[in-house]
């Protein structure tokens, strides 16, 4: 059923996805301010980011599946209400503990991404799907850049609590319009939510991401880190067993095994490692006092403005990708995007003595992000049945987050493992870190190169109920047993 008003539907989806994307990066530059205002310690403050990452990783694929089963629009409205509640609680939080709980609630909003892609797949005309997904991906990518750029001015002019008050107003209006004007999606998956699978998925994600994000603080050879990694392996194996035997799996493993999906997910994992690490560490690099032998001593606002070329390039490339995809194919755009991002990290490793060099590298990186975000979403959406679009795109977003956690941990290890007498990292730490990110992104390009030609994906996009290269439907669990 086509949307009654595609432009209004897209505006609502872009608003919700953009706000959540901003919330991912908006808080990081303000962490020292939050630490001081709430009279807490630096380790406690880092949980403001960790809690958000863990929550989003758990809820994104689960609620994507719930949307496939119960209706994407009503699930989207519920998710937006949760984000609204989380932002309101964060804006009023009197202690760091309450703020961390609020960030857990905000993390539910990660499901906005798969639900939005699924609504576009279900309700837009076939000729509008690819371009609309590309445009939405541009908003998502740019949203993270907006967070980096806007955090400093908002905190300086108002207060860190306005980092949450502003989203409260936007999300409230977005949820109201979504409830009143976006029709329910016509495609529904059959079955029910596999809550055992959901519990196991949550378990192995938390057991994996918690030590990855906290390992540098706890110690990589500590009992806690080793035990959690072991638990992640066991829970992952149990999850695979449960999903493969379930008549209504949370994530259809047959779909994940198809060539266009596993290659795109591998690219997402590796690309996420580069993306999150650049967002996390490039501002810190430019804020380092020049007395360290590198860096420019920029404040939060100035470092954000230095990231402005990245923000502009991300949005422009994302919008252009929707017009280039019919001619070049999403596969080639993903290869190009990953290649440009790899080039940018190589430039950062080799040339970082002048601010204009940072700005150029940031712009090139933004071009790569804009192309890659749009192409990954298009490859997944066009390669899975309509009734599985939410779960499949949710898992793709999740793998990007897992890659981000791994990349950030590796970068942190390289940058902070050796500190000068003044407590600042050596320049070589950043050089080695950006070099490793280059390898991650080259790997993403190679994974994308293994994806099938675009004609197969296009066939799936116009053949509801079938995924490219997917095997014939399997018998139910009772028959298999």
């Amino acid at each position: 059923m086509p949307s009654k008003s595609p432009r209004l539907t897209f505006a609502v989806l872009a608003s919700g996805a953009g706000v959540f994307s901003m919330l991912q990066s908006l808080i990081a530059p303000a962490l020292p301010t939050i630490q001081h205002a709430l009279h807490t310690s630096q380790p406690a403050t880092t949980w403001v980011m960790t809690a958000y990452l863990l929550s989003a990783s758990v809820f994104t694929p689960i609620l994507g599946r719930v949307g496939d089963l119960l209706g994407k629009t009503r699930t989207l409205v519920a998710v937006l209400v949760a984000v609204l509640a989380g932002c309101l609680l964060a804006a009023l939080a009197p202690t760091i503990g309450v703020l961390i709980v609020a960030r857990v609630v905000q993390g539910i909003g990660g499901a906005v991404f798969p639900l939005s892609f699924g609504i576009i797949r279900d309700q837009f005309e076939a000729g509008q799907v690819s371009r609309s997904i590309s445009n939405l991906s541009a908003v998502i990518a740019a949203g993270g850049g907006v967070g980096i750029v806007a955090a400093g001015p908002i905190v300086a002019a108002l207060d860190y609590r306005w980092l949450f008050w502003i989203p409260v107003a936007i999300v409230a209006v977005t949820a109201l319009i979504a409830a009143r004007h976006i029709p329910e999606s016509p495609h529904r998956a059959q079955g029910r939510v596999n809550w055992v699978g959901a519990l196991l998925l949550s378990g192995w994600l938390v057991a994996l991401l918690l030590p990855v994000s906290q390992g540098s603080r706890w110690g990589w050879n500590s009992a806690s880190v080793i035990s959690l990694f072991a638990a992640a392996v066991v829970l992952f194996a149990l999850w695979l067993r449960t999903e493969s035997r379930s008549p209504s799996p949370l994530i259809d493993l047959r779909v994940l095994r198809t060539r266009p999906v596993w290659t795109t997910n591998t690219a997402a994992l590796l690309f996420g490692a580069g993306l999150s690490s650049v967002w996390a560490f490039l501002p810190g690099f430019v804020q380092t006092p020049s007395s360290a032998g590198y860096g420019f001593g920029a404040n939060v606002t100035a470092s954000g403005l230095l990231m402005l070329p990245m923000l502009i390039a991300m949005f422009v490339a994302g919008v252009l990708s929707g017009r280039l995809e019919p001619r070049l194919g999403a596969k080639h755009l993903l290869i190009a995007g990953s290649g440009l991002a790899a080039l940018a990290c190589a430039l950062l490793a080799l040339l970082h003595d002048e601010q204009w060099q940072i700005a150029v590298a940031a712009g090139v990186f933004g071009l790569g992000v804009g192309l890659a975000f749009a192409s990954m979403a298009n490859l997944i959406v066009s390669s899975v049945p309509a009734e599985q679009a939410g779960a499949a795109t949710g898992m793709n977003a999740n793998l990007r987050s897992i890659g981000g956690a791994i990349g950030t941990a590796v970068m942190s290890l390289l940058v902070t493992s050796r500190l000068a007498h003044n407590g600042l990292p050596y320049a070589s730490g950043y050089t080695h870190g950006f070099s490793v990110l280059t390898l991650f992104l080259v790997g993403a390009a190679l994974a994308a190169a293994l994806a099938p030609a675009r004609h197969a994906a296009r066939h799936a996009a116009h053949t509801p109920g079938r995924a490219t290269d997917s095997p014939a439907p399997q018998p139910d669990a009772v028959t298999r047993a």
Side-chain angles (χ1 to χ4, degrees), residues 100-162:
I100 291 171
V101 171
R103 291 288 281 173
V104 171
V105 178
Q106 289 174 25
I108 296 173
V112 168
F113 298 159
L115 293 170
S116 297
F117 291 136
I119 288 172
I120 290 175
R121 165 77 181 267
D122 286 352
Q123 300 189 29
F124 284 32
E125 297 290 345
Q128 297 178 327
V129 170
S130 176
R131 181 172 296 187
S132 297
I133 287 176
S134 296
N135 290 342
L136 183 62
S137 299
V139 172
I140 293 171
V146 169
I148 296 174
V149 173
I154 291 175
V155 172
L158 299 168
D159 179 76
Y160 85 87
R161 295 182 186 274
W162 281 92

Side-chain angles (χ1 to χ4, degrees), residues 117 121 133 255-256 258-266 268 330 334 373-386 388-397 399-400 457 460-461 466-468:
F117 291 136
R121 165 77 181 267
I133 287 176
V255 172
L256 293 186
T258 61
R259 186 175 164 195
V261 175
W262 74 257
T263 52
T264 306
N265 283 342
T266 302
L334 179 53
F373 259 57
S375 54
M376 278 190 280
N378 270 316
L379 281 168
I380 294 293
V381 169
S382 65
S383 300
V384 302
Q388 296 182 11
T393 53
M395 200 62 186
N396 181 261
L399 287 167
R400 197 165 60 236
R466 288 189 62 83
T468 306

Side-chain angles (χ1 to χ4, degrees), residues 258-346:
T258 61
R259 186 175 164 195
V261 175
W262 74 257
T263 52
T264 306
N265 283 342
T266 302
L269 180 75
L270 296 169
F271 196 92
L275 174 65
S276 296
S277 300
V278 170
W279 279 356
F281 285 89
L282 189 55
F285 178 90
V286 301
Q287 290 172 25
T288 302
S290 55
S291 59
Y294 65 97
F296 310 105
N299 58 26
V300 174
T301 300
S303 64
L305 291 176
L306 202 56
M307 302 299 106
L308 195 58
M310 183 190 302
L311 168 60
I312 296 172
M314 278 192 292
F315 185 78
V316 171
V319 172
L320 287 177
S321 67
R323 290 152 178 80
L324 295 174
E325 195 270 343
R327 299 180 180 179
L328 302 179
K331 168 184 175 176
H332 295 101
L333 292 179
L334 179 53
I335 294 172
S338 300
L340 286 171
L343 174 62
C345 287

Side-chain angles (χ1 to χ4, degrees), residues 182-209:
I182 298 182
E184 188 51 80
S185 298
H187 297 290
R188 300 283 182 88
Q190 299 299 313
R192 56 182 176 79
V193 178
N194 179 6
W195 292 112
V196 175
L199 183 62
L200 290 171
L201 175 66
S202 304
W204 73 257
L205 283 172
V206 172
L208 172 65
L209 293 175

